[in-house]
Amino acid sequence: MQTTIVNARAAALRGATRPLCLSPRLRTYATPVAVKRDEDPQLAGYPQLPYISRQLLPPKGWEDPQMRRNFGDTLHEEEEVLSMWGPDVSPLPPKTALRQFTIATLGFVTFGVVVNYLVPARPAVPREYPYSGLVKELGGLEENKANPEDESDED
């Protein structure tokens, strides 16, 4: 058992001293690989602009600072989504946002459960009215019954 651990540590040290370029798990390139997008046939020669929201651009240095664009600039094919009036760009990654939402939801649920079990029971008996819950005094409507009673209990 002891020799297995020593052999594993020695192998790990040999792997750590190996140059990164010889590592079979890591592949490096001399020049960056540019990924070329295919031409969209529906654009018919319209320039393919990068998919960047205007909300991520710097706020100053534009002829139209509200829309963060210069007059005469070519609009993106999806300008309605990428403009300042489009959907907000989330500053958080989805996993972080989901984790924070889950924590907040669990906090509210925990608070509700704690309050539900810590509130004491009512110390008094609810009020009961005679004559089937004052049906006659409230106009005789069946919807106005509070706590119906039997009239035989009135002895």
Side-chain angles (χ1 to χ4, degrees):
M1 179 77 175
Q2 191 79 6
T3 57
T4 306
I5 295 173
V6 171
N7 290 339
R9 285 183 184 166
L13 287 175
R14 277 193 306 263
T17 58
R18 183 187 313 171
L20 290 178
C21 60
L22 300 177
S23 174
R25 289 176 282 144
L26 181 65
R27 187 171 182 186
T28 59
Y29 295 96
T31 58
V33 177
V35 178
K36 184 179 179 190
R37 297 188 305 179
D38 294 334
E39 284 289 324
D40 189 358
Q42 294 179 352
L43 290 180
Y46 195 80
Q48 287 191 342
L49 302 173
Y51 193 84
I52 299 172
S53 175
R54 296 265 178 203
Q55 298 173 5
L56 298 176
L57 298 176
K60 294 189 178 185
W62 305 100
E63 293 175 10
D64 183 6
Q66 181 177 5
M67 295 299 291
R68 294 184 185 172
R69 62 184 300 257
N70 294 325
F71 295 112
D73 280 352
T74 306
L75 294 178
H76 195 278
E77 61 177 310
E78 298 182 23
E79 178 65 21
E80 65 276 358
V81 174
L82 298 176
S83 72
M84 291 297 293
W85 303 109
D88 287 338
V89 177
S90 175
L92 298 174
K95 288 178 85 173
T96 305
L98 180 63
R99 185 179 73 232
Q100 290 179 359
F101 178 74
T102 304
I103 290 170
T105 304
L106 286 176
F108 281 115
V109 169
T110 303
F111 178 75
V113 168
V114 167
V115 167
N116 186 29
Y117 287 111
L118 289 182
V119 173
R122 287 173 59 173
V125 177
R127 180 177 285 177
E128 295 180 359
Y129 296 99
Y131 305 112
S132 297
L134 300 175
V135 173
K136 180 179 173 187
E137 285 77 7
L138 293 174
L141 299 174
E142 291 295 316
E143 292 86 22
N144 290 330
K145 283 186 161 185
N147 286 328
E149 298 178 16
D150 293 322
E151 292 181 12
S152 60
D153 292 343
E154 298 288 328
D155 289 336

